Amino acid sequence: MGKILQIAQLGHPILQERAEEVTDIFDPSIQSLIDDMLTTTADSNGVGLAAPQVYELKRIIIVSSHPNARYPYAPKMEPTAMINPVITWESDEQNKEWEGCLSIPGIRGMVPRSTKIRIKYLDRDSHEIETEYADFIARVVQHECDHLNGISFLERVENPKELASEKEFLKSIAKR
Ligand code: ZN
């Protein structure tokens, strides 16, 4: 099993850098990074994690949607490592929903995202996968892919009045 890694916090310059494509998925350092990212995501009750958040400028994301205290309405899926992910299509239709981020603890913001996406990536066995996601999972994928390009969700919040503390979010907003 993997180790629990430290998560870079907002303001650390690594969160603003572009991550690099993985060239050798079978390199033991990449395989153990994936294990560590899966363990870290589970330990922090996250629904997603991008490698720059654990101080590695590699194009690797974990998507791990499941209902939990931080996101009570999230659908359940098998935690999935996506390597060199590319969003090949996104719907013109967007919706705005609350997002949070393990690198920005205590803050939620309303972010517009495409409601449907198509994504191409390599799995950890180097198989090419192309699949579509909608709604919550599509949102998580877009959020994590942004991290690979040095972008945090705060940059996508359209109106500062659409920011909230996590405490207030869980107390009232999530129940609306
Ligand atoms: Zn994030």
Side-chain angles (χ1 to χ4, degrees):
M1 256 284 75
K3 302 187 293 289
I4 296 168
L5 302 171
Q6 253 203 303
I7 294 176
Q9 301 291 290
L10 181 69
H12 194 289
I14 202 160
L15 295 174
Q16 298 184 13
E17 282 183 50
R18 187 187 182 277
E20 294 192 342
E21 273 75 16
V22 175
T23 50
D24 183 4
I25 290 179
F26 298 111
D27 188 296
S29 71
I30 294 293
Q31 290 290 325
S32 71
L33 174 60
I34 292 168
D35 286 334
D36 294 349
M37 287 177 69
L38 286 164
T39 300
T40 304
T41 307
D43 177 72
S44 52
N45 229 339
V47 292
L49 185 70
Q53 291 182 277
V54 292
Y55 303 90
E56 294 283 350
L57 282 174
K58 303 278 181 210
R59 300 188 86 77
I60 303 173
I61 63 173
I62 304 295
V63 180
S64 171
S65 174
H66 60 283
N68 66 89
R70 295 180 70 235
Y71 295 97
Y73 45 78
K76 179 147 183 55
M77 70 181 280
E78 201 55 42
T80 304
M82 301 178 181
I83 297 131
N84 299 340
V86 177
I87 294 172
T88 54
W89 172 82
E90 51 191 32
S91 62
D92 292 334
E93 190 195 350
Q94 294 195 330
N95 67 357
K96 240 192 213 184
E97 259 303 334
W98 292 96
E99 289 187 18
C101 180
L102 294 172
S103 294
I104 311 172
I107 299 285
R108 298 292 180 109
M110 281 284 262
V111 181
R113 302 271 188 199
S114 293
T115 54
K116 287 188 185 142
I117 60 159
R118 194 166 178 81
I119 186 174
K120 210 163 74 176
Y121 65 91
L122 298 171
D123 71 11
R124 66 183 304 170
D125 301 315
S126 202
H127 299 124
E128 193 172 290
I129 313 276
E130 191 157 12
T131 186
E132 285 186 14
Y133 290 112
D135 305 319
F136 185 80
I137 297 175
R139 174 170 294 279
V140 174
V141 169
Q142 291 170 85
H143 175 120
E144 300 312 331
C145 285
D146 267 358
H147 277 303
L148 302 182
N149 297 321
I151 297 168
S152 87
F153 83 84
L154 293 178
E155 292 167 65
R156 299 208 182 269
V157 170
E158 293 177 316
N159 180 347
K161 288 200 190 318
E162 294 175 333
L163 289 165
S165 75
E166 183 154 296
K167 193 174 164 196
E168 187 62 26
F169 172 81
L170 293 173
K171 192 174 82 183
S172 53
I173 299 169
K175 299 195 172 94
R176 269 177 214 159

